[in-house]
């Protein structure tokens, strides 16, 4: 019999909602259907304001966007079910990541805050919804991120082959999958992914992203700028660690690069693309120097210039996760379907070797459908 779960993901790129329908009735999850719902510009602007560190948040704005996003998540589920021609009664549960508006795991009062009201998702769809995955890990003294490495381990791990899964969203992270059971799986955020590049091109050209990395590739790599960018303590801070766009922001860029306004904007874009590739390569060389294969997922896989840089800086073969029957755009939503299944089966969803938690815990809160 089929065992259907749905995963919902809204990432730091602020582009829209990924919805994946997965069948877990076999040893390896089977991808069934996927749907992507882009945010309308007006809503994207409201959501972006909530994630900005430049201005205070009004509680009315917070509550309104939380409700509106919950409704959009619910509609994404209904659209996906219609597309797949599968009745809602056959879905075991929905795993909704929500949208992170602030991630602060290193404060004395550590927290990670996601919005997209799961009550609305459960009520509208009639399907039990699992949400708020990160805070239980933080309660267990973990970083609350990254959470997808547990899924990476289950889906992409292979005996006798050392692999690294690289996810490039707004923030980039890696999962180190050793080829032996002796070594632990580790994973962490390496630093900026697409986020800084997206913000920079939005500021200068009013574009949401740098298609194929064409603007970055038109610029020159500036050694002095790269030195300033890579001097940030985060890159040398040991794992476990996690970060977000509230840290790697345009404000961070202005503080790091002296005389930023004096440089050609496309040269800075080139440097930001190199920063993503270099920080990823440095992290892999430091924590997984025996890697046999690197698997890429996330939106960064569509940046041809970034992919070329990663291949140049890597010491092994680099492939998209599509070579392993999971499209790079579908991995994170699939991971949250898997995490929902773990929760519903009373199984841990975190890896303490990844997040630094003091124990493995069952993640999330369950909202009955």
């Amino acid at each position: 019999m089929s065992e259907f779960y749905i995963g919902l993901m809204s990432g730091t790129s602020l582009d829209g909602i990924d919805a994946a329908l997965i069948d877990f009735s076999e040893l390896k999850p089977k991808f069934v259907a996927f749907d992507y719902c882009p945010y309308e510009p007006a809503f994207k602007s409201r959501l972006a304001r909530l994630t900005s560190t430049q201005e205070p948040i009004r509680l009315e704005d917070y509550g309104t966007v939380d409700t509106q996003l919950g409704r959009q998540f619910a509609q994404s589920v209904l659209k996906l079910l219609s597309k797949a021609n599968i009745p809602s009664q056959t879905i075991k549960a929905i795993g909704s990541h929500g949208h992170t508006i602030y991630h602060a795991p290193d404060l004395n009062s550590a927290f990670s805050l996601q919005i997209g009201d799961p009550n609305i998702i459960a009520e509208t769809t009639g399907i039990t919804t699992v949400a708020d995955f990160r805070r239980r890990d933080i309660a267990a003294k973990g970083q609350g991120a990254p959470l997808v490495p547990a899924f990476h381990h289950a889906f992409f791990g292979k005996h006798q082959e050392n692999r690294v899964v690289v996810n490039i969203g707004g923030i980039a992270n890696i999962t180190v999958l050793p080829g032996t059971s002796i070594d632990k799986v580790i994973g962490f955020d390496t630093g900026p992914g697409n986020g800084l590049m997206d913000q920079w091109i939005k500021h200068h050209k009013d574009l949401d992203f740098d298609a194929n990395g064409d603007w970055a590739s038109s610029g020159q790599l500036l050694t002095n700028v790269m030195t300033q960018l890579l001097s940030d303590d985060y890159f040398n801070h040991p794992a476990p660690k996690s970060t977000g766009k509230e840290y790697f922001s345009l404000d961070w860029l202005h503080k790091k690069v002296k005389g930023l306004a004096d440089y050609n904007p496309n040269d800075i874009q080139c440097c930001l693309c190199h920063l993503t590739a270099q920080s990823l390569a440095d992290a892999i060389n430091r924590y997984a120097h025996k890697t046999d294969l690197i698997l890429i997922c996330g939106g960064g896989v569509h940046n041809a210039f970034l992919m070329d840089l990663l291949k140049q800086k890597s010491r092994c073969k680099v492939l998209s996760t599509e070579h392993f029957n999971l499209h790079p755009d579908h991995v994170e939503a699939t991971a949250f379907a898997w995490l929902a299944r773990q929760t519903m089966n009373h199984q841990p969803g975190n890896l303490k070797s990844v997040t630094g938690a003091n124990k493995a815990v069952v993640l999330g809160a369950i909202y009955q459908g």
Side-chain angles (χ1 to χ4, degrees):
M1 288 182 62
S2 299
E3 187 184 356
F4 293 133
Y5 283 80
I6 289 174
L8 298 174
M9 183 69 198
S10 175
T12 50
S13 59
L14 289 167
D15 55 345
I17 298 168
D18 294 337
L21 175 60
I22 310 298
D23 182 1
F24 289 99
S25 59
E26 298 178 4
L27 185 61
K28 286 287 186 180
K30 180 183 177 183
F31 177 82
V32 179
F34 180 85
D35 193 69
Y36 167 68
C37 294
Y39 292 133
E40 293 185 357
F43 179 78
K44 183 175 179 177
S45 295
R46 290 195 294 273
L47 187 57
R49 281 198 295 272
L50 288 189
T51 64
S52 171
T53 58
Q54 304 300 314
E55 55 186 280
I57 296 173
R58 296 173 64 243
L59 284 177
E60 183 180 346
D61 294 337
Y62 170 90
T64 299
V65 176
D66 180 39
T67 297
Q68 292 174 342
L69 185 56
R71 290 172 180 163
Q72 292 193 48
F73 277 135
Q75 291 305 312
S76 291
V77 170
L78 296 177
K79 184 182 175 187
L80 178 67
L81 291 175
S82 176
K83 186 177 185 178
N85 196 27
I86 291 177
S88 60
Q89 295 88 341
T90 63
I91 308 300
K92 297 280 189 180
I94 297 165
S96 177
H97 170 267
H99 188 91
T100 299
I101 61 169
Y102 208 90
H103 181 70
D106 296 319
L107 295 180
N108 287 333
S109 298
F111 71 95
S112 186
L113 186 58
Q114 287 75 41
I115 61 171
D117 189 353
N119 295 282
I120 294 173
I121 302 171
E123 183 66 25
T124 304
T125 64
I127 302 170
T128 295
T129 300
V130 186
D132 193 18
F133 286 95
R134 299 191 184 277
R135 292 198 292 180
R136 186 57 184 270
D137 183 83
I138 289 176
K141 308 301 182 184
Q143 290 274 312
L147 295 182
V148 291
F151 168 74
H152 291 161
H153 178 52
F155 193 87
F156 296 115
K158 183 180 180 182
H159 184 59
Q160 294 186 335
E161 184 170 72
N162 297 311
R163 294 178 172 180
V164 170
V165 180
V166 171
N167 176 57
I168 309 174
I171 296 295
N173 57 65
I174 65 170
T175 303
V176 180
L177 302 173
T180 71
S181 57
I182 299 173
D183 299 311
K184 293 180 179 179
V185 176
I186 62 172
F188 56 90
D189 292 342
T190 58
N194 307 312
L196 275 174
M197 290 185 282
D198 291 349
Q199 292 176 63
W200 188 249
I201 198 170
K202 182 68 174 179
H203 178 70
H204 285 279
K205 298 175 74 70
D206 197 27
L207 296 172
D208 290 332
F209 61 94
D210 185 5
N212 299 314
D214 289 344
W215 195 44
S217 65
S218 73
Q220 293 185 342
L221 179 63
L222 307 174
T223 305
N224 62 320
V225 171
M226 286 301 296
T227 299
Q228 294 173 69
L229 295 175
L230 288 167
S231 70
D232 192 276
D233 291 341
Y234 183 83
F235 298 117
N236 291 318
H237 191 76
K241 60 181 178 178
S242 59
T243 188
K245 284 173 64 180
E246 62 280 331
Y247 185 82
F248 286 107
S249 62
L250 289 186
D251 185 52
W252 174 87
L253 182 60
H254 280 278
K255 289 177 181 177
K256 275 293 171 189
V257 181
K258 297 176 181 178
L260 182 64
D262 296 331
Y263 293 102
N264 291 326
N266 61 331
D267 291 343
I268 296 299
Q269 185 77 348
C270 179
C271 291
L272 292 176
C273 196
H274 274 268
L275 176 64
T276 296
Q278 191 63 56
S279 54
L280 279 165
D282 289 347
I284 293 170
N285 291 337
R286 180 178 178 183
Y287 287 94
H289 65 278
K290 295 181 180 180
T291 299
D292 301 308
L293 177 64
I294 295 173
L295 304 177
I296 310 289
C297 59
V301 76
H302 304 297
N303 185 322
F305 184 52
L306 176 58
M307 289 301 100
D308 286 343
L309 291 177
L310 276 173
K311 290 173 183 178
Q312 292 169 24
K313 296 174 187 293
S314 300
R315 302 172 180 174
C316 61
K317 183 183 291 187
V318 178
L319 295 174
S320 159
T321 56
E322 195 159 16
H323 286 81
F324 295 85
N325 301 315
L326 190 54
H327 192 281
D329 290 338
H330 303 166
V331 174
E332 280 201 298
T334 302
F336 279 90
W338 182 86
L339 285 166
R341 181 175 182 262
Q342 290 293 101
T343 301
M344 295 298 291
N345 290 331
H346 310 289
Q347 296 295 313
N350 65 333
L351 291 175
K352 60 181 186 177
S353 61
V354 170
T355 67
N358 54 27
K359 62 180 179 179
V361 290
V362 179
L363 302 177
I366 299 173
Y367 299 78
Q368 294 293 339

